[in-house]
Amino acid sequence: MMDEDGLHYVQYHSSKESTYLAAIRQLISNDLSEPYSIYVYRYFLYQWGDLCFLALDKQENILGVVISKLEPHRGGPIRGYIAMLAVKQEHRGKGIATRLVRMALDIMIERDAEEIALETEVTNTAAMKLYERLGFLRSKRLHRYYLNGNSAYRFVLFVKESAFTSRLGYEDDEEEADKNQPEPPPSA
């Protein structure tokens, strides 16, 4: 998929590991505060490589990447998770991050994600604005979440109403909720 700026977006495939992995690691290590080992990348890319998308220029250089996963969350809803998102500094503000995240969201939703979560540093206002524009809600503040001592916000996108209402403790089924109501007194 080539866009008007000559960028194209591709889904990661393990056959391209030797081509892309070092560049993905370099981009993410330049932009994110966490020092991820090769094993963290492989954990995501080996199991959920099809949920990873890359923005490439005409010379096949990586300008942006999103790495995600999708699995049941603690026996509850099917949760998508955006683990890492990075765009080269000189290419920010061009919609690359938005497009990458939307691609990941689309495939997670297509695969029945009920909610999608992520964390971002409280100082990363550009990322917070991006996620809020895409419909994510701030769920909680995580004090000193990152190794650098910075706090994070957890963001959640509720894809299905059932995920949202179960978080609030609401019943999904009105009949089930009615069963829990006391019977009205008999009329006189």
Side-chain angles (χ1 to χ4, degrees):
M1 294 181 273
M2 188 80 69
D3 71 6
E4 62 275 358
D5 292 327
L7 302 179
H8 62 282
Y9 296 82
V10 297
Q11 191 173 39
Y12 177 85
H13 192 273
S14 59
S15 66
K16 296 285 194 169
E17 179 178 340
S18 62
T19 304
Y20 293 138
L21 187 55
I24 290 171
R25 289 184 69 198
Q26 183 64 47
L27 176 60
I28 290 172
S29 68
N30 287 345
D31 286 355
L32 301 183
S33 60
E34 291 293 283
Y36 296 112
S37 76
I38 187 70
Y39 302 107
V40 173
Y41 293 97
R42 287 186 172 145
Y43 167 76
F44 286 100
L45 296 174
Y46 285 3
Q47 295 183 75
W48 302 282
D50 57 335
L51 298 176
C52 171
F53 295 91
L54 308 166
L56 306 171
D57 66 12
K58 292 175 185 174
Q59 292 77 38
E60 299 290 308
N61 297 308
I62 297 175
L63 304 182
V65 62
V66 63
I67 297 176
S68 310
K69 72 175 187 170
L70 180 68
E71 63 184 355
H73 180 67
R74 298 181 185 172
I78 303 296
R79 176 183 268 189
Y81 181 71
I82 297 176
M84 301 171 217
L85 171 67
V87 174
K88 283 190 174 181
Q89 180 75 37
E90 61 271 21
H91 294 280
R92 292 182 187 165
K94 299 177 181 179
I96 295 171
T98 300
R99 181 135 178 217
L100 289 168
V101 171
R102 283 189 172 147
M103 292 172 79
L105 294 178
D106 287 348
I107 198 164
M108 287 189 272
I109 292 167
E110 180 181 298
R111 294 182 184 173
D112 293 326
E114 296 174 62
E115 64 184 31
I116 300 165
L118 61 96
E119 293 86 26
T120 190
E121 289 191 43
V122 297
T123 57
N124 193 344
T125 55
M128 289 187 287
K129 287 178 183 177
L130 164 70
Y131 295 124
E132 288 170 344
R133 273 195 320 272
L134 292 172
F136 284 83
L137 302 172
R138 288 184 199 185
S139 168
K140 65 170 75 171
R141 185 180 175 118
L142 306 165
H143 183 66
R144 298 182 57 81
Y145 181 78
Y146 292 104
L147 292 176
N148 65 6
N150 281 353
S151 296
Y153 283 116
R154 175 158 301 133
F155 282 80
V156 179
L157 175 67
F158 295 103
V159 177
K160 296 185 179 176
E161 186 177 345
S162 59
F164 180 71
T165 56
S166 69
R167 293 292 177 124
L168 298 176
Y170 295 139
E171 300 287 336
D172 289 331
D173 184 352
E174 288 183 18
E175 287 180 24
E176 189 65 32
D178 289 342
K179 287 181 193 176
N180 296 327
Q181 297 299 319
E183 290 293 320
S187 50

